[in-house]
Amino acid sequence: DAGATFGSYPLGSQNFNSVYAINQKVWIVGDAGAIQVSNNGGNSYTSYGIGGGNLNSVYFTDENTGWAVGDGGRIAKTTNSGVTWTSTSPFGFTDLTGVKFTGALTGYACGSGGNVLKTTDGGASWSTYITGTTMNLLSIDASGTTIIATGVDGKIFKYNGSIWSTIDYKST
């Protein structure tokens, strides 16, 4: 009904931190490695939790392939709609709070300490960007060579393919 009404679907007492949907598939991730998957537009969910630390963000490139990121630098990938996940922590020194893929191979993640990560091989390996900030980054998006990351305290960080710049919305 185009958002005219909303329903409530209790799934337990843990915090859920991110949601992503494609067609009728819905994925939700949360504290303690919680993962909930719906195949019917959110009318019912199945738990496929992977345990461990909190998962803070989830993103899918199609109905099968997706990534979740979380505390301790955890990066988890699924290729079967979220039924099973392979988890790594290539950068265990930082909490990751946002993830976005621009295609099957290229993706970005952001997190604490101003860290931005990039993969060009579907998450098999990740490299870091020097953003020039130690501020915690909360969310990330990308298109072409442009990367936008939001930070705490009203800051937005933009990468134009060669340099990072900062926009401070608290001072404007």
Side-chain angles (χ1 to χ4, degrees), residues 1-158:
D1 62 7
T5 59
F6 290 88
S8 175
Y9 303 95
L11 295 174
S13 61
Q14 71 235 0
N15 292 325
F16 292 115
N17 302 320
S18 181
V19 61
Y20 195 82
I22 298 176
N23 300 320
Q24 290 295 304
K25 299 283 286 192
V26 181
W27 300 270
I28 298 173
V29 298
D31 289 357
I35 298 174
Q36 299 284 332
V37 180
S38 173
N39 293 309
N40 56 15
N43 289 318
S44 63
Y45 288 87
T46 302
S47 178
Y48 295 106
I50 57 177
N54 298 340
L55 295 173
N56 301 314
S57 184
V58 62
Y59 189 88
F60 275 71
T61 55
D62 58 45
E63 290 191 13
N64 294 308
T65 307
W67 293 263
V69 298
D71 293 354
R74 185 180 202 182
I75 301 171
K77 180 180 180 179
T78 182
T79 57
N80 60 5
S81 297
V83 175
T84 60
W85 295 77
T86 302
S87 188
T88 64
S89 295
F91 298 93
F93 57 86
T94 187
D95 291 339
L96 297 175
T97 54
V99 63
K100 166 71 185 257
F101 272 70
T102 58
L105 299 176
T106 302
Y108 303 88
C110 69
S112 61
N115 286 291
V116 171
L117 311 178
K118 179 181 182 180
T119 182
T120 57
D121 57 13
S125 64
W126 295 80
S127 58
T128 60
Y129 277 99
I130 304 300
T131 61
T133 185
T134 57
M135 181 174 289
N136 291 342
L137 302 177
L138 304 174
S139 183
I140 194 161
D141 200 355
S143 178
T145 59
T146 302
I147 303 167
I148 303 284
T150 61
V152 297
D153 207 26
K155 299 274 200 269
I156 298 174
F157 300 89
K158 180 179 180 181

